[in-house]
Amino acid sequence: MAAAGGRLDRGPLVGVLAVLVTSVLWGTTGTAATFAPDVGPLAIGAAALGIGGILQALIALPSLRRERTALASHRGTVVAGALGVLIYPPAFYSSMHLAGVAVGTVVSLGSAPLASGLLERILEGRRLGAWWMLAAGLGIAGSAVLCAATMHDAAADTPGALAGVGLGLVAGATYALYSWSAHRLMGRGVGRAAAMGSVFGLGGLALLPVLALTGAPLLASPQAFAVGAYMALVPMFLGYVLFGLGLTRISASTATTLTLAEPAVAAVLAVLVVGERLTLLGWLGIAGIGLSLLILALAPSGREVEPLAVPDVAAAT
């Protein structure tokens, strides 16, 4: 990737911290959604990332105008990222709705680092380093343990649960896709604001019809409206501003691995705010995720990924 040893590699700790704060903000969405039980998953997802994405584009308008030529030359990457933004929220929130918050979150976020690693390996010819593989393995294992610990309710409807798992895998893949696309644009010399604004703005516009068709319950009460506004402004708008900052300092695969902190944050909030109980097994899962994040934060940062001598198949985008 262009500037592999330059701008994108400076200050990795700042990138790690920015993505971790993002994960904390994202981890509040499940708890926030419990305050609007009559709002469906499609409406929540479309409001959160649709409005949040358009706000990203609005604050980036000067950069979008200034870098429109560069964006046009990489329009394939922009469209791919926007497609990920369009598909991710309906898949993610529907996965949680069908399979449960714990399973949907863990499948979606647990599969994202693997999907991101595959994208970097296939499209950029990069071999993922040993530290990343260790951290990803620990994080995914910890998430699986946390998931098992929270599946203490009555057995879910099997077809619905399987559909939820499938949608979670779709969510993980599309999350990896838009993360890679934004990082790719930055690596090709597009500024952070223009990269994030183009990908999320275009995706947010595509989500507006979904919001128009499903969003009536968001206006049914002040509380539901407040939940929708919070989702759009804090976890999504502010969260993705910080996520974009992180992507200028660390690779997309590392960023998606760091966001495995989200299910841990969600579980802790469920205990502290919603009143759910977490077993010893659940706390062990959180400890595994914490160890994964510690490895990513403290591991040698000379090269997060190791380039292979293969053609850059994405250079034309």
Side-chain angles (χ1 to χ4, degrees):
M1 177 177 290
R7 180 171 56 89
L8 292 178
D9 286 337
R10 293 205 300 267
L13 183 58
V14 173
V16 168
L17 291 175
V19 175
L20 284 178
V21 173
T22 299
S23 301
V24 172
L25 295 178
W26 289 349
T28 67
T29 58
T31 297
T34 64
F35 292 97
D38 296 328
V39 181
L42 293 180
I44 286 287
L49 210 47
I51 296 173
I54 291 172
L55 289 175
Q56 287 273 359
L58 289 176
I59 66 167
L61 276 177
S63 296
L64 290 171
R65 292 194 189 99
R66 185 169 58 250
E67 302 193 47
R68 61 185 180 274
T69 302
L71 289 170
S73 67
H74 300 298
R75 57 186 173 275
T77 302
V78 174
V79 171
L83 185 62
V85 172
L86 169 63
I87 297 173
Y88 171 76
F92 178 56
Y93 288 100
S94 295
S95 175
M96 290 194 294
H97 179 73
L98 292 171
V101 173
V103 176
T105 302
V106 168
V107 171
S108 299
L109 298 180
S111 62
L114 301 179
S116 185
L118 285 173
L119 278 174
E120 291 183 359
R121 176 67 177 85
I122 295 169
L123 298 181
E124 299 181 2
R126 290 179 171 265
R127 183 182 294 117
L128 296 167
W131 285 110
W132 178 87
M133 289 189 284
L134 175 61
L138 282 171
I140 292 168
S143 295
V145 169
L146 177 59
C147 176
T150 54
M151 291 178 64
H152 53 74
D153 296 328
D157 172 63
T158 301
L162 290 175
V165 169
L167 286 169
L169 293 173
V170 172
T174 52
Y175 169 38
L177 177 60
Y178 68 68
S179 300
W180 174 84
S181 297
H183 187 269
R184 176 78 183 176
L185 290 170
M186 295 175 201
R188 290 292 171 183
V190 177
R192 173 171 59 89
M196 297 295 288
S198 60
V199 168
F200 284 88
L202 186 57
L205 286 173
L207 281 166
L208 287 184
V210 179
L211 181 59
L213 291 172
T214 64
L218 286 166
L219 303 176
S221 70
Q223 183 165 312
F225 180 81
V227 168
Y230 169 79
M231 293 279 212
L233 295 175
V234 181
M236 297 305 146
F237 173 64
L238 177 59
Y240 278 106
V241 168
L242 292 171
F243 190 68
L245 173 62
L247 287 175
T248 66
R249 309 300 179 95
I250 57 178
S251 70
S253 56
T254 296
T256 53
T257 303
L258 285 167
T259 55
L260 287 171
E262 180 180 344
V265 172
V268 171
L269 287 176
V271 171
L272 297 178
V273 179
V274 182
E276 295 183 1
R277 298 184 64 183
L278 195 62
T279 65
L280 176 61
L281 188 63
W283 290 113
L284 288 175
I286 290 176
I289 295 171
L291 182 57
S292 166
L293 303 178
L294 186 63
I295 289 172
L296 285 176
L298 300 181
S301 58
R303 293 192 72 83
E304 290 183 284
V305 288
E306 198 176 316
L308 299 172
V310 297
D312 187 355
V313 297
T317 59

